Amino acid sequence: MSEISKELSCQYCNEKIAASDVFCGQCGQPIDEKSEVKEDVFNALQPALLYYFITFLLLATYKLTSFFPEGFDGFILVSVIDVLIVLVFWHHNFDELRELWSLKKIKIGLITVTILFAVLAALVVSLIAAFLNRSIYEEVYYETTLYEESPFPFLVATLLVAVQPAIFEEVAFRGFLFNYLKKVTTPTSAIYVTAFLFGVIHLQFISLLWLIPMGLIFAYSRNRYNTLWYGVFGHFAYNFTITAINFWNVG
Amino acid sequence: MEQQDNLITSEFITCENCNAQVVSTVKFCNSCSFPVAGSEDDKRSFRLSIGSKKRQVKDAEEKIKTCKTIIYILAGLLFISGLVVGFAQDDYASMIVNLCISLLYLILAAWSEKNPFGAILTAFIIYVTLILINFIVEPATLFSGLLFKILFIGAFVKGVRSAKEAKDILVELEKTKSL
Ligand SMILES: [Zn+2]
């Protein structure tokens, strides 16, 4: 038995305890237990489920029904609502998320590797898609015709398809959704769950084959390095490459 | 200071529950919280509470198992319906989609062995997502097999809660050296 150190005392009965004690010898209460109230899982997960299903309903209504206007207008409208939903949750979790944006955690070498890897992945995925068939091809590529209605098609496409998801999907899936899940389960479990949801919410079921691995890599790096930056740069590089190939093919 | 000297020179006793050596002045074992200085009643109620926790884990594991079975059933159903739309109706795009989701469920079922909470939660969300997709495309589909949908959703909700509960109790049991 170790000697009793002067600083340690039981949080329940104030009796002195040894560093090796798991339970207090006088009152039998656990020593390091955080005095947290055990909350129902679904209560704890409520905001996560809320974000997921609201966003899902928005995207599903846009992709599967004619509720939203056709063409560029509809796409802009849905993107704006999508961003607004994320902003509400971002605002609610602002302090927790702020540390994930810290620039100090960026390592230039890793960022470069991330970008190169993302570009390579995008090239491979588009080759596979082109090789498979037209129906899968359309899943991978975004319609260029959509942007022809706008003054600078390539610039607008870059903003909507590469910049917007790189920031807002990362804040959502690797930011607050990840944090909500980490409250009820292990980080590893949070990595997998957010990756699956990230894949599914895109509503492109063949693309799950690469969306889920992408989600896994981004979530892993978010957990490993405690930053969103690798996800943001990787996500941007991937989507930008797909967009560029897309315009190249058309032009 | 006095107390410290007193403790260092004091005798040790062996905990009946975990065999740890504890100072004879304590009321509870420092390593497993067993009431070493308690009455027979205290000791019995400690063992009873461990027993009831173990039973809770068993119950939870039953519900987790039900969910695993459901996930395998869903994987199988989608696989079959994928083949049917593909080869009987020549709808290869739908076939690939169905096979992809079937594969997804299969992965989740396999993952549920290692991490029931994450896998069942994910399967539950995907299941509800697919019901909603079908509903948005064709509202009438909501009512086909409605009873099964309700049963499966109920089982998933219980499964998610049970997986979390089982994990929490196992941590507690581990701490009281009762596994
Ligand atoms: Zn003990």
Side-chain angles (χ1 to χ4, degrees):
Chain A
M1 282 285 115
S2 57
E3 262 183 65
I4 288 178
S5 68
K6 279 169 195 133
E7 308 94 296
L8 291 175
S9 66
C10 171
Q11 58 168 323
Y12 296 95
C13 69
N14 284 325
E15 194 67 36
K16 286 183 179 171
I17 48 176
S20 60
D21 287 355
V22 183
F23 293 95
C24 171
Q26 293 307 312
C27 70
Q29 294 296 324
I31 304 289
D32 70 340
E33 185 101 318
K34 288 159 255 150
S35 47
E36 57 182 285
V37 194
K38 273 196 185 132
E39 199 186 358
D40 179 71
V41 231
F42 284 103
N43 244 342
L45 284 175
Q46 210 176 1
L49 293 173
L50 196 66
Y51 168 75
Y52 172 83
F53 280 109
I54 291 176
T55 306
F56 159 73
L57 285 176
L58 172 74
L59 298 181
T61 310
Y62 173 61
K63 286 192 179 171
L64 305 170
T65 73
S66 49
F67 179 81
F68 287 102
E70 264 180 53
F72 190 64
D73 292 344
F75 188 65
I76 282 278
L77 183 59
V78 170
S79 300
V80 169
I81 300 172
D82 194 2
V83 165
L84 286 176
I85 298 169
V86 175
L87 283 175
V88 171
F89 282 83
W90 193 346
H91 175 75
H92 270 270
N93 298 277
F94 191 76
D95 289 330
E96 271 180 71
L97 292 172
R98 194 168 47 190
E99 53 187 294
L100 297 176
W101 286 112
S102 164
L103 289 164
K104 284 178 220 150
K105 289 166 186 161
I106 298 183
K107 292 185 191 116
I108 298 298
L110 261 179
I111 286 278
T112 316
V113 172
T114 308
I115 292 172
L116 287 178
F117 184 77
V119 171
L120 197 72
L123 292 172
V124 171
V125 164
S126 24
L127 277 177
I128 295 171
F131 177 76
L132 286 171
N133 66 42
R134 189 70 201 160
S135 73
I136 297 171
Y137 190 83
E138 278 164 2
E139 270 202 5
V140 178
Y141 294 100
Y142 306 88
E143 287 172 68
T144 39
T145 47
L146 213 56
Y147 309 104
E148 279 164 11
E149 297 168 37
S150 67
F152 305 100
F154 186 67
L155 183 74
V156 172
T158 301
L159 280 175
L160 289 174
V161 175
V163 178
Q164 191 259 98
I167 296 170
F168 293 94
E169 284 184 4
E170 288 310 306
V171 164
F173 286 87
R174 261 62 70 180
F176 55 79
L177 268 187
F178 190 91
N179 287 351
Y180 289 140
L181 278 157
K182 228 174 59 177
K183 281 178 190 147
V184 293
T185 185
T186 57
T188 315
S189 178
I191 291 174
Y192 281 97
V193 176
T194 53
F196 279 117
L197 298 187
F198 172 71
V200 172
I201 210 160
H202 282 77
L203 299 174
Q204 304 165 348
F205 287 97
I206 298 152
S207 308
L208 283 177
L209 296 176
W210 46 86
L211 283 173
I212 291 174
M214 240 173 96
L216 282 174
I217 293 168
F218 292 153
Y220 171 82
S221 78
R222 177 253 176 265
N223 186 53
R224 174 87 164 70
Y225 303 103
N226 252 313
T227 175
L228 292 173
W229 284 111
Y230 298 113
V232 168
F233 277 98
H235 205 147
F236 172 80
Y238 179 90
N239 285 16
F240 180 77
T241 309
I242 297 271
T243 312
I245 298 171
N246 195 6
F247 273 84
W248 173 274
N249 280 344
V250 172
Chain B
M1 260 341 222
E2 258 177 49
Q3 206 189 353
Q4 221 172 40
D5 293 339
N6 178 28
L7 274 170
I8 289 168
T9 52
S10 65
E11 282 171 37
F12 292 111
I13 51 167
T14 306
C15 168
E16 290 170 48
N17 182 56
C18 73
N19 294 325
Q21 295 287 308
V22 292
V23 189
S24 58
T25 52
V26 299
K27 297 191 179 90
F28 298 91
C29 169
N30 298 119
S31 128
C32 75
S33 82
F34 183 78
V36 280
S39 62
E40 277 311 307
D41 264 4
D42 292 339
K43 292 178 179 176
R44 196 171 50 238
S45 79
F46 179 88
R47 293 193 178 104
L48 280 175
S49 106
I50 297 291
S52 96
K53 277 176 188 161
K54 282 185 176 167
R55 239 170 297 123
Q56 268 175 284
V57 173
K58 274 226 170 74
D59 286 350
E61 276 165 356
E62 276 305 304
K63 289 179 182 124
I64 292 168
K65 217 174 136 195
T66 309
C67 284
K68 273 184 212 169
T69 313
I70 291 174
I71 301 171
Y72 276 116
I73 292 173
L74 291 171
L77 285 175
L78 278 156
F79 184 77
I80 294 165
S81 77
L83 293 185
V84 169
V85 291
F87 296 112
Q89 295 159 26
D90 287 337
D91 183 355
Y92 293 107
S94 300
M95 178 177 90
I96 295 172
V97 170
N98 279 357
L99 294 183
C100 280
I101 303 168
S102 170
L103 179 67
L104 186 60
Y105 277 132
L106 216 56
I107 291 169
L108 289 173
W111 184 38
S112 73
E113 300 291 340
K114 222 184 146 201
N115 181 344
F117 178 78
I120 295 170
L121 176 66
T122 309
F124 170 50
I125 295 174
I126 291 174
Y127 184 61
V128 175
T129 300
L130 293 173
I131 291 176
L132 289 173
I133 288 177
N134 285 327
F135 173 71
I136 290 168
V137 176
E138 184 61 68
T141 56
L142 186 66
F143 300 101
S144 77
L146 188 62
L147 183 67
F148 278 106
K149 283 173 186 163
I150 293 169
L151 283 175
F152 284 3
I153 288 174
F156 275 133
V157 169
K158 278 186 201 151
V160 171
R161 285 209 175 102
S162 300
K164 171 88 175 119
E165 196 187 57
K167 196 157 188 212
D168 289 346
I169 299 174
L170 283 175
V171 169
E172 271 179 60
L173 287 174
E174 170 102 63
K175 231 177 160 182
T176 53
K177 326 285 185 288
S178 313
L179 279 179

